[in-house]
Amino acid sequence: MAILAMPQLKRAWHYDPASPENVRYYGIAPSVKLTYAFYYLALLAFLAMMTFGIHDMLEPLRGGTR
């Protein structure tokens, strides 16, 4: 994973804030950023609940008692 991440790390270390693609990328409105953050946190919560549910459903198959 570290080897595959090296090109991206190199680009991050040589970040140019005046580059047109960086200006467009980081020029997103704060409301859009907050909306995306909410969606990611909601997805995280959903996946955590589903993982817990699957864990509980598989517990009897492993011989555990709860």
Side-chain angles (χ1 to χ4, degrees), residues 1 4 6 12 16 18 30 40-41 53 55 58-59 61:
M1 292 302 282
L4 293 174
M6 288 305 287
D16 178 17
Y40 276 115
L41 291 175
H55 178 74
L58 294 176
E59 189 69 28
L61 296 177

Side-chain angles (χ1 to χ4, degrees), residues 31-52:
S31 63
V32 174
K33 291 178 185 180
L34 286 174
T35 301
Y36 280 17
F38 171 77
Y39 288 152
Y40 276 115
L41 291 175
L43 177 63
L44 176 68
F46 173 75
L47 291 175
M49 290 187 309
M50 292 299 107
T51 301
F52 183 74

Side-chain angles (χ1 to χ4, degrees), residues 8-25:
Q8 186 64 29
L9 287 173
K10 184 178 177 185
R11 275 190 295 233
W13 285 325
H14 294 70
Y15 171 72
D16 178 17
S19 176
E21 61 269 7
N22 290 336
V23 171
R24 279 195 316 259
Y25 181 78

